[in-house]
Amino acid sequence: MNLEQKYLALLQEAQRRQLPDLESIRLCFQTLSLATAIDRDCAALLAPHGLSEGRFVLLFLLDAAGEGLAPNRLAEQAGVTRATVTGLLDGLEREGLIERQGDTRDRRALRIQLTHKGKQVAKNVFRQHGRWIAGLFGNLSAAERRQLGALLDKVSGNLATASSRMST
Amino acid sequence: MNLEQKYLALLQEAQRRQLPDLESIRLCFQTLSLATAIDRDCAALLAPHGLSEGRFVLLFLLDAAGEGLAPNRLAEQAGVTRATVTGLLDGLEREGLIERQGDTRDRRALRIQLTHKGKQVAKNVFRQHGRWIAGLFGNLSAAERRQLGALLDKVSGNLATASSRMST
DNA sequence: GCCATATAGTATGGCGCCTAATTATATGCT
DNA sequence: AGCATATAATTAGGCGCCATACTATATGGC
């Protein structure tokens, strides 16, 4: 069933203790393990290009924007703090994928732009990524995809996060 | 559908670009978002007890072992490196949940034991956690659970990680 | 015009995870 | 017995993420 080691250990122990609702526990760990494995594969795919998942998101947003974007807008769209964006931009700059340009009208502000190399890497990585994701779900029929989507949705509804985020 | 902000941004952009296999992309992001949200809820539940997810796993393993466990065995069972275990134990020790005791026979080795407080926290947290997970999947019927499990499995099979980990 | 307040980006320090290097101890071979 | 090698735990340094606190600049109200 391909659980991560830690979840395997927890599940075995839960079994030994005969905890109730073992089936839910198993499903939860299965979901988390799948996500971890996807992230790991993703990271392995991105690493050779000098990218992490976070940097990839910024790269994508910048490529979409075309005309350069301010760090605070990047933070908003990526759903991380401005401080995190600073760190990610440091990385992208080190890799020569972006440039920080001062805004002439607001001297506090920056405009982040992709370099030539950045644009090229973006193009290649997006193609690669698309193929990869397609492969991930390629063996599911249309009906199965609908089912999976619906089930994931149903579970999402039970999360504290979902409701609190809506009200915020 | 409750996607994390970053995935929302990526998905919208993918739509705009009319990338192929949008449905796969959506499912992928939905899975990752669910896992992220579960982790976030979990972290919020554990934080008041001075626990992180990693520390929780060690606490569980130690509680299961009863007689004290060596850090290297904890690392194996939790699926992290010994260095990481050192850090997690530092945290647990700071919180007064464990004690490091030198092994009398092998002076390199340690035996980690839960303190009284550690055992109490363990008991409470396990109960809380069980209820929480049960609630997460509580609104799925038995059939839906089977379906979800099967679908997640089917996706897992397409991961590079799965095959490579088997051979290692 | 001036001051309070908001905003932009960053520094700092924490967490969990990693790899690689370090230190102490144990063990096996000759 | 003595030395190479293995093993236990830790340290050091890196990454991505966070929250908090700081600095520089902009803006609105009086």
Side-chain angles (χ1 to χ4, degrees):
Chain A
M1 201 201 322
N2 275 326
L3 292 185
E4 297 292 310
Q5 174 58 43
K6 66 178 168 187
Y7 296 126
L8 201 60
L10 291 179
L11 185 59
Q12 280 167 358
E13 188 49 28
Q15 269 166 354
R16 203 184 60 70
R17 298 190 189 201
Q18 311 208 4
L19 292 191
D21 226 333
L22 218 60
E23 204 46 34
S24 286
I25 298 178
R26 209 182 54 77
L27 268 178
C28 181
F29 290 169
Q30 208 180 338
T31 306
L32 295 176
S33 294
L34 176 58
T36 301
I38 290 179
D39 281 340
R40 188 167 36 225
D41 272 26
C42 179
L45 229 59
L46 294 177
H49 299 99
L51 293 176
S52 65
E53 243 192 276
R55 291 186 198 166
F56 169 78
V57 173
L58 294 200
L59 196 70
F60 199 89
L61 292 173
L62 287 167
D63 189 66
E67 263 319 291
L69 225 58
N72 61 341
R73 316 235 78 237
L74 284 170
E76 265 174 43
Q77 292 182 36
V80 299
T81 62
R82 276 171 301 151
T84 297
V85 167
T86 296
L88 294 174
L89 290 177
D90 286 347
L92 288 167
E93 200 171 33
R94 232 180 292 130
E95 298 285 335
L97 304 176
I98 61 137
E99 270 175 6
R100 287 170 156 109
Q101 294 172 354
D103 185 319
T104 45
R105 281 174 293 189
D106 185 340
R107 300 235 299 276
R108 297 167 304 179
L110 293 180
R111 246 191 29 199
I112 310 301
Q113 281 208 289
L114 289 183
T115 60
H116 180 64
K117 183 181 170 192
K119 284 180 198 161
Q120 282 191 316
V121 168
K123 216 174 98 185
N124 292 335
V125 168
F126 296 161
R127 256 216 318 274
Q128 183 193 46
H129 230 65
R131 275 201 306 268
W132 168 64
I133 293 189
L136 267 185
F137 293 85
N139 62 344
L140 297 195
S141 71
E144 286 175 323
R145 289 177 191 212
R146 265 196 310 277
Q147 257 176 20
L148 180 55
L151 289 169
L152 293 175
D153 251 2
K154 205 162 175 180
V155 177
S156 291
N158 298 327
L159 285 162
T161 313
S163 41
S164 74
R165 247 196 324 161
M166 281 183 194
S167 56
T168 325
Chain B
M1 201 202 321
N2 275 323
L3 289 186
E4 295 293 311
Q5 175 56 44
K6 66 178 167 185
Y7 295 126
L8 202 60
L10 290 180
L11 185 58
Q12 280 168 358
E13 187 50 28
Q15 269 165 355
R16 203 184 59 70
R17 298 190 188 201
Q18 311 208 4
L19 292 191
D21 226 333
L22 219 60
E23 204 46 34
S24 287
I25 297 178
R26 210 183 53 79
L27 269 177
C28 182
F29 291 168
Q30 209 180 338
T31 307
L32 295 175
S33 294
L34 176 58
T36 301
I38 290 179
D39 281 339
R40 186 166 38 225
D41 272 27
C42 179
L45 230 58
L46 293 176
H49 300 99
L51 293 176
S52 64
E53 245 193 274
R55 291 185 198 167
F56 169 78
V57 172
L58 294 201
L59 196 71
F60 200 90
L61 292 173
L62 287 166
D63 189 66
E67 263 319 292
L69 225 58
N72 61 342
R73 316 235 77 235
L74 285 170
E76 265 174 43
Q77 291 182 36
V80 298
T81 62
R82 274 171 301 157
T84 297
V85 167
T86 296
L88 294 174
L89 290 177
D90 287 346
L92 288 168
E93 200 171 32
R94 232 180 292 131
E95 298 286 335
L97 303 177
I98 61 138
E99 271 174 6
R100 287 170 155 108
Q101 294 172 353
D103 184 319
T104 45
R105 282 175 293 191
D106 185 340
R107 300 234 300 274
R108 296 169 304 181
L110 292 180
R111 246 191 29 200
I112 310 301
Q113 281 207 290
L114 288 183
T115 60
H116 179 64
K117 183 182 172 194
K119 282 179 200 163
Q120 282 191 315
V121 168
K123 216 174 97 185
N124 292 336
V125 169
F126 296 161
R127 255 215 319 272
Q128 184 193 44
H129 229 65
R131 275 200 306 268
W132 168 66
I133 293 189
L136 266 186
F137 293 85
N139 62 345
L140 297 196
S141 70
E144 286 175 323
R145 290 177 191 211
R146 265 196 311 276
Q147 256 176 22
L148 180 54
L151 289 170
L152 292 176
D153 252 1
K154 204 161 174 180
V155 177
S156 292
N158 298 327
L159 286 160
T161 314
S163 41
S164 73
R165 247 196 325 161
M166 283 185 193
S167 57
T168 324

